Structures are given as structure tokens and as C-alpha cells.
Amino acid sequence: MEGLLNALNNFLLIGLPYIAIVVFLVGSIHRYRVTKFKFSSLSSQFLEGKKLFWGSVPFHWGMLVLFFGHLSAFLIPRSVLLWNSHPVRLIVIEVSAFIFAIAVLIGLINLFVRRTSNDRIRVVTNKMDIIIEVILILQVITGIWIAYNFRWGSSWFASVLTPYLWSIFKLQPDIAAVSALPWVIRLHIAGAYVIVLLIPFSRLVHFLVPPINYFWRPYQLVYWNWGRKQVRNPGIPWSIKRPKNN
Amino acid sequence: MNVRSQVSMMFHLDKCIGCHTCSIACKNIWTDRKGAEYQWWNNVETKPGTGYPTKWEDQEIYKGGWEKKGRRIDLKGAGKRKGLVNIFHNPNLPVIDDYYEPFTYKYLDLVESPARSDQPTARPISLITGKPIDIKMGPNWDDDLSGTPDFARKDPNLKALSPAEQEAMFQLERMAFFYLPRICNHCLNPACVASCPSGAIYKRGEDGVVLINQEVCRAWRMCVTACPYKKSYYNWHTGKSEKCILCYPRIESGMAPACMHSCVGRIRYLGVVLYDADRIEYAASVDEEDLIQAQLDMILDPNDPKVIKAAKENGIADSTIRAAQDSPTYKFVKEWGLALPLHAEFRTLPMLFYVPPLLPVMASLSEKDQSGQSEKLDPISKFWDDGWLYDTSTEELWGSIDKARFPLEYMASMFGAGDTEIVKDKLKKLMAVRIHRRRVTVGDIDDKKADQVLADVGLTAKMAEDIYYLTSLAKFDDRFVIPAAHREQAIEMLEFTGDERGSSGFGFKEKPARGL
Ligand code: SF4
Ligand code: SF4
């Protein structure tokens, strides 16, 4: 029993992340290079716009906040701990994260209902859409559960999970501290890896191509297929007669 | 001066018979696919009418195009800020019901029905869900329905008219309508390009065709909102936006776009215009009443040596310059000043121009008593000899345009950015050409009067003849002057052709057995 549990921990906390990262990298790059046409957010707003609002908006904005929250605990744990050293600030961050998580959950449920109940949307739904939605719902539920039952996640994430995650990236996985965490936390971690793993196989790819460039590019784009200035070489006699092509 | 060339179109609305051949030609080639069934890159609307998608001209609803803010312009419903804030749910996106739900009929039911006492029917089914639907809307549902409460009276252009004028317009005896064929305008200041967060839409430098790169589009669907003409469509199946490509594969090989080639009324003309790209921003941002003039001023005279020199410096091929000199669009738009852009107030600088229709305006010249006219009609020549139908005295003529049965304000709302004078000017010219031709063919108008009429509108007899020729007799090559694409040169910019030598034509698919 003990051995089995160890193996499971090893798989979920060491094996899975490496599989996920490799598949994610190879899969996404391959998909971007070979099947670029399939890189799309596959918006279905055109078929149904009203219910989408109550799903997509809370989900996406909530998700953005949660994603960057997790990311900052991973990248700048010390600043997070410093911020949290003051109880009021800790409570503010925890409560707002909790609210955004609830928003994500509500959004996801609305999206799920819309996707499965609307005839038109069902036509543009594939299995992967459903799988992703279910996994995301489970992931948010475990997240909310953790936030509620194991308080001050922003602090213990920074002090326990961040070293573990870094150990994965440094190729010296150290799961001693993490394997002692309650099972739902480990489930949440494993869920995250599964999501990363599925990115290249699902519509989640659109998250890799946010239109950041739009901020600084000029509004109008004009492309020449051939260098129009070089092409006119006076050495080449071109017909000055009317083109004979019609 | 930064000279660029644009393949620009001109539609002569007096000639359109509303047959929809153009739409079908386009549909057969480009949009007969899943997810694109509802898309009509070319569509023909009856005006007054609500159009496709319903009330597309009403930017209070659709928030398309540019709006002036202070001295600058910004996108009305999209753009850097609005577009990115609304990226997860675009509040200004039309949904498929604003166009129509595409449908077909279960024709097989007619064939496979078992023997019954009643006739089998083919039920309509949705092309999206495959389920039976009640058809509520189609791409040309307002066809010929002038005066109807659901369509014609909801035309957004009627805002320019007072309620009394609207009532008068829809009186049964005065009712008129005309057709408005529409494709993408391949604008000089395209709102679709500016709104695309991914940068998937671009204008081709060589010929100005506006295209969507299908590999870069990510379904942020802002172009659908931003195009005020609603000519960028979202393919709900592929998750990519699509739009009219001006049949660029045909243009590159010297053929006219399919809609233009097939046009039964021969209303369509296509040719190059040279324009000054440095003036785009200025022309798009001037006050509303100056918009049309500013746009026309951008178009350069292809016979002016200075323009030719600057064009050559910019690498525009001699053949393109030559095509610009022969361009029917240039003649109609600039030389003769007969054509106007549609809804210039959207500020995209559309490069499809329309000759506004004279016929619905003049169809009844006066409010004379019309009873008994049918008895007076000569049964053989079908001609009234009492001068009733065509009153050709010029004062009454110009007056009749003012008191036209089809209010000028309505035309001005579409073609004049609200300015009736500019539309009137075009209509007068059209009328003057008719009078001139009547002098030539019927001979009941004396020369002095006809010349006076022409002089009034700034035309000469020679110009009137040219207009008449290009309007009525023009052959295929006169209507479509397509510049050579010079693919042979273009390819050299992309690859070294020496690499490809010997790779086409006859050859060996495998190495010959003796290992040569
Ligand atoms: S008509 Fe619309 S789609 Fe076409 S170029 Fe202009 S803005 Fe873009
Ligand atoms: S084919 Fe020509 S005449 Fe017929 S509807 Fe189209 S534009 Fe009008």
C-alpha cells in the first residue's frame, strides 16, 4: 500500500509534469507550424451571443486573475510573502482570489450548460471541448475547496509549492514536502498538469497566441508580395502597350 | 506624393436589373461550403429596404466604421482599447439571426416517400443544426418589396426624411425602388484591417485587395463588427473570418472577378486608379461634408507626367500605369464625375463607386394627371407622342430632379454623405447625357438646347458620347481593364527561379534505372 502510494506520488508529481511539459512543447510547436489553420479560439458567439456573456466574461477575466496570481507566487514568491506579512493585505488577496475563483466556476457552469443545451452550439462542439470544460470545472472546484479548507494558500503556495515547482524545472525533482500535502492539493496540482498536457490538443491553444502585438502595431497593414521598388529594373524592357491579358 | 495603385470598381445602378446572377456566381465559386452558407460576399439589395444583414447601415446598432473624435478618427465599435476589453464577448457582434439561418429542403423526402394519399413535401431544415426550421429570413428577403412595413419602411436611410416625406415616398402611385449590389469595397482606410487584434487582415500593396490570412485569424471576430458594410463574415464552422477576395486568383491571371464577369446588366466596371497614399489619413479625418471631395482628390491623374514619374519611382509597372490611363473607373469617377462612394461617412474610403440611379428619380417627371394615358399609348410603337413621359425642357427638367418622386435626401443619405447637391450634380449629368443622345437619335431637341444642357453640367458633346459608349455599348475589354500581375517578376522576389528550372513540364518521376 505504502509502495503503491509512493509510486502514485512519483507519477503525479514527477512523471506527469515532465510528460505534460514535453507533450505541451512539442505538440504546440508542431501544431503551430504544421496546422496553423487550426489555431483559433473557435468562438461560438456568432451562433449564440447572450448566454455566452454570462459564461465567457466571468470565466475569462476570473481565469486571467487566477492565472497571474499563481504565476506570481511561482515567479516572485518572496514578494508575495512580503505582501502577505501584513494580515489585512493577506486577507484582501485571499478574498479577492476566492471571489474570482467563484466567478470562474459560475462562468464555466454557464458555458457548460450553454454548450450542452443549445442546438446550434452543440453542432460546433467536439469531444475535446467537453473534456476540457469538465476538467476545468473539477480543477476550479478543487481550487475553491483548497482555498476554503486550507487557508492562506497564497502564503503556503509560495513557501511549499514554489520550491517544488522550481525543482521540477531545475530537473532535480524534490517532492518530499509536496507528497505530505493533503490529497486534494495533490489532485489540484496533477489537474494543472493534465490541462497543460491537453493544450495542444484542444481549443486552449488560443491562450498561446494572445494578440499582444495589437498594442503597438499601426492600425493599417499593407503587404507587398514583391519588393515593388527593386522590381522595376530599367534593364528589363516591359511592354508599354496595353496589357494583353483580357 | 506616395503613389499606389488600387484595383477599383464602379457599379452603374441604372443598369442593375436585380437578377442576383452576380451573387450566385460568387456563391458557386467561394462560399458554397459548410460555415459559409450564409455568407454572400456579393449580395443585391432592394432600396429602400433593410438589406443584409438587416439594417446593416445603422451604425447605432452595429457600431461599424470610424467616427470622428476631435481632429482624429477612431474605430466606433472596435480598436485597441475596445477590441481588447471586449475580446471575450464582443457586445457589438451581429449573430447569425441578423443575417439569416441558412437552410435547405429535405428533397430526398420527395423521392423516398412511400405511396400516400397526399403529396409528399420537402420540409425546410437548418443548415446549421440539420433540424426542421421555420424560415424567417433570407439573404434577399426584401427583394422588390418597396413600401412594405417590415422592410422598406425600416430602411435606416429614411432617417434623413421627415415623416411626411416618408409617407409621400411610399404612396402607391409614387413608389419606386432600385437595386444595390454590394461587395467588399476594398477600402483605402479599411476598418476591418484596423480592428484585427491578430493582424490577420491586410491590404495588398500591388492592387489594394484586402485579404484575411486564414492561418493567422484567431476568431477574435472584431472585423465583423468593424466593417461598416458588414462584408467581413465569420465562418462558424472553421472559426475563421472570411471576406470577398475580389477573385484575386482571377485578377492575377487577367480575368474579371466572377460577379463582374457574369453580370447580366453589365453594370460592373473594374480598373486601376492611382492614388496618393500620403493623404489617406487626412482624407479619412476631414469633416463629414468634405469627405467625398477629399477622397476624390486622393485619386491622381494617370496622364499627369508628375504622377507617372512618381508612380515609376514607387515601382509601379508601366503596364499598370497604362491600365490606369484606360481605367473605366477613373473615367466615371474622376474624368466625368459620375460616380460616388457608398456611405462615405463611414470613413473607410471605399474603393467601390456607384453611379446613382436616375430612373427611380425621374420615373415620373411631373404630377400630371395620369388617367387615360394607357389609351393614348400607340399600340405598335409603345410610345406616347404627346411628350407626356419625357418632358425635356431643361428648366422643368432640373426642377423635376428637385421635386423628384424619389426624395433626393434619400439618395444623399446613401451616396452623398447627406449632401443632396453632390447627388443632384450626378443625376443632372446623367440626364444631360440622355438629352444629348435624344438629340442624336430622335432629333426632336434642337442643338442649342442640348448644348446648353450639357454646358450647364460641365460636359461636352464628346464627353457625353464617351459616357454613352462606356455606359451602353462597352465591350468586355472596355469594362474590365485589368493590370498585368507580373507574376513572372513577383516570383523572382520570393525565390530564385534557377532552382525551379527543369522542374516542370516533362521529366522523370524517378531516377532512370541505369542511375543517370
Ligand atoms: S468593405 Fe469592410 S471588409 Fe471590405 S475593406 Fe472595407 S472595411 Fe474591410
Ligand atoms: S448580375 Fe449585375 S444586373 Fe444582375 S443583380 Fe448582379 S449587379 Fe445587378
Side-chain angles (χ1 to χ4, degrees), chain A residues 37 39-41 43 45-46 49 56 119-120 214 217 219-221 223 225 228 232 238 242 245-246, chain B residues 80 88-90 96-97 101 131 189 194 196 203 205-206 218 221 234 239-240 254 315 318 477 489:
Chain A
F37 182 59
F39 248 76
S40 166
S41 62
S43 163
Q45 186 184 352
F46 185 67
S56 178
D119 277 347
R120 288 181 183 167
Y214 192 37
R217 80 158 162 89
Y219 265 145
Q220 298 300 358
L221 298 176
Y223 294 156
N225 286 326
R228 61 193 178 113
R232 200 190 151 78
W238 277 346
R242 181 169 164 178
N245 57 8
N246 51 26
Chain B
K80 296 195 180 184
F88 303 131
H89 180 275
N90 177 356
I96 190 144
D97 303 291
E101 181 161 357
K131 299 197 171 146
N189 186 32
C196 177
K203 194 172 178 68
E206 291 83 6
R218 310 273 182 240
R221 68 220 171 274
Y234 183 68
K240 305 272 168 172
D318 284 353
D477 285 357
Q489 310 252 348

Side-chain angles (χ1 to χ4, degrees), chain A residues 16 28 46 73 82 119 126-127 138 152 164 183 191 229 237:
Chain A
L16 189 59
S28 305
F46 185 67
L82 205 66
D119 277 347
N126 59 22
K127 278 201 206 84
L138 294 178
W152 327 131
Y164 155 68
W183 64 269
K229 290 196 183 172

Side-chain angles (χ1 to χ4, degrees), chain B residues 391-405:
Chain B
D391 187 347
T392 43
S393 65
T394 56
E395 309 85 72
E396 280 162 73
L397 193 66
W398 294 165
S400 80
I401 287 183
D402 276 332
K403 297 195 245 71
R405 84 175 196 181

Side-chain angles (χ1 to χ4, degrees), chain B residues 72-210:
Chain B
R72 313 201 47 199
I73 53 169
D74 203 359
L75 290 168
K76 198 175 169 85
K80 296 195 180 184
R81 193 176 50 77
K82 285 178 217 153
L84 290 175
V85 168
N86 293 330
I87 201 158
F88 303 131
H89 180 275
N90 177 356
N92 306 318
L93 184 76
V95 292
I96 190 144
D97 303 291
D98 291 320
Y99 302 77
Y100 71 104
E101 181 161 357
F103 53 85
T104 184
Y105 296 89
K106 287 177 93 176
Y107 294 108
L108 259 191
D109 286 2
L110 299 179
V111 182
E112 292 176 345
S113 162
R116 286 181 210 267
S117 54
D118 47 4
Q119 290 254 1
T121 52
R123 286 184 78 186
I125 52 169
S126 160
L127 275 173
I128 300 177
T129 60
K131 299 197 171 146
I133 55 167
D134 279 334
I135 303 171
K136 297 206 189 69
M137 200 53 196
N140 59 344
W141 234 226
D142 55 1
D143 224 39
D144 295 0
L145 291 182
S146 183
T148 48
D150 281 353
F151 297 108
R153 288 179 194 233
K154 289 191 181 154
D155 185 320
N157 294 298
L158 294 177
K159 279 184 194 154
L161 307 183
S162 70
E165 281 170 322
Q166 292 183 25
E167 273 319 304
M169 179 172 170
F170 291 124
Q171 275 170 15
L172 203 54
E173 302 76 30
R174 299 171 57 114
M175 201 134 66
F177 61 82
F178 63 96
Y179 300 108
L180 179 72
R182 301 200 297 123
I183 64 172
C184 164
N185 298 288
H186 297 278
C187 308
L188 293 186
N189 186 32
C192 57
V193 176
S195 71
C196 177
S198 313
I201 315 183
Y202 61 97
K203 194 172 178 68
R204 291 213 303 196
E206 291 83 6
D207 51 12
V209 177
V210 176

